[in-house]
Amino acid sequence: MTQSHPAELDLADMTWPPPPYQPPVAPVTDEHGVRRFEGVTYATTPGYRPRLLDVQVPSGEGPFPAVVWIHGGGWLDGDRRYPPPTVPAALLHGSVLAAGLALVSIDYRHSLEAPFPAQLHDVKAAIRYVRRFADVLGIDPDRLAVWGESAGGHLAALAGLVGPGSEDAEALEGAHGVGTGETGVRAVVDWYGVSDLVALAGHPLPGMPAGAEFPDPYDALLGGAEAERPALARAASPVTYAKGSTPPPFLLVHGTRDGLVPFSQSEALAEALTGAGGEVTLRPVEGADHIFLGSPDIPEIVSESVAFLARHLDAS
């Protein structure tokens, strides 16, 4: 018996090998007019899970400026769908959409799948993908920003600073997914991200259960101890690329009592960006630990972050 092919599958358009990405899936529109593209494959690599992204586009006439959200999790864990547990998804997503911004939430390879710079390659691939399919998604390709928390904040800072003129640019841009295209962004929001891996060498990691077999996140990211890979640690540090760059505007938000990523990490990046002539706002969250634990001001922090992005993306 011969199987019939679905009507929507045009075999004449198929190629082999298939491209290392898929075009956007058909969106679903909710009762508020928000269009959602869910589970879009923006990059594939043999032997790895496909890298996926979700897009939420406000109701109304586009194209809309867009924010690429990069999740945290120590580069070892995390999921595009879930902000940190202190920040409700409804608050984060709703605030972005209400400001007239589209939201692109991305997954990336974890460090035990592939060490750095794989994670930055994936972020760059997602930005290229959004620009390649901007017309389908209803996004303005000239008005993109990145926003990340923890490991995602580190990657957002790198995405904002690493460009064609950067040191080792070719190796850091990667060629995954769409493969080529502009990856620059107009603004960066970095929540409590690492900026200098060399300075963090030997920093104790609090809160690990006794006897737990949890990898050191810095060693896992680098594929070995920092002392064994000092050049790679420097290459993975956003402060490396601030000097001599023309950075986009940065908003750095960090708890002053962060026991996992010290507040001094954001201070160092702010100093480097200021030295490069960049526009940078360092927002301390007094008394807060990592993921803003202990802070009652999370709705205000989200609001301030969205307002910063909306201002620099000229959102209506």
Side-chain angles (χ1 to χ4, degrees), residues 17-71:
Y21 58 87
Q22 296 290 330
V25 297
V28 174
T29 304
D30 69 14
E31 66 273 19
H32 304 294
V34 174
R35 290 184 300 134
R36 290 184 165 85
F37 302 80
E38 297 184 343
V40 178
T41 300
Y42 73 84
T44 61
T45 304
Y48 297 92
R49 60 193 166 102
R51 269 83 83 205
L52 305 180
L53 59 77
D54 299 334
V55 182
Q56 301 179 64
V57 184
S59 63
E61 292 295 324
F64 295 93
V67 179
V68 177
W69 167 261
I70 311 170
H71 70 77

Side-chain angles (χ1 to χ4, degrees), residues 72-99:
W75 310 282
L76 287 160
D77 200 358
D79 186 310
R80 70 187 186 280
R81 298 168 294 177
Y82 308 120
T86 48
V87 183
L91 171 65
L92 184 76
H93 297 181
S95 298
V96 171
L97 293 167

Side-chain angles (χ1 to χ4, degrees), residues 7 17 25 39 50 80 99 110 139 158 178 229 248 276 295:
V25 297
R80 70 187 186 280
H110 294 153
I139 285 173
L158 283 173
V178 171
R229 293 166 169 77
S295 173

Side-chain angles (χ1 to χ4, degrees), residues 115-117 172 197 221-224 226 229-237 241:
F116 186 84
L172 294 171
L197 273 77
L221 180 68
L222 300 176
E226 184 275 336
R229 293 166 169 77
L232 187 59
R234 182 177 179 276
S237 298
Y241 307 100

Side-chain angles (χ1 to χ4, degrees), residues 99-160:
L101 303 171
L103 180 64
V104 181
S105 306
I106 70 169
D107 283 333
Y108 53 87
R109 282 170 291 176
H110 294 153
S111 56
L112 293 185
E113 294 179 90
F116 186 84
Q119 297 71 32
L120 181 58
H121 288 171
D122 290 348
V123 173
K124 294 282 190 175
I127 293 170
R128 286 193 295 264
Y129 184 94
V130 170
R131 285 203 165 101
R132 166 68 175 78
F133 291 103
D135 56 342
V136 178
L137 298 171
I139 285 173
D140 183 344
D142 296 323
R143 292 189 290 164
L144 299 183
V146 286
W147 179 5
E149 61 97 14
S150 196
H154 161 260
L155 295 172
L158 283 173

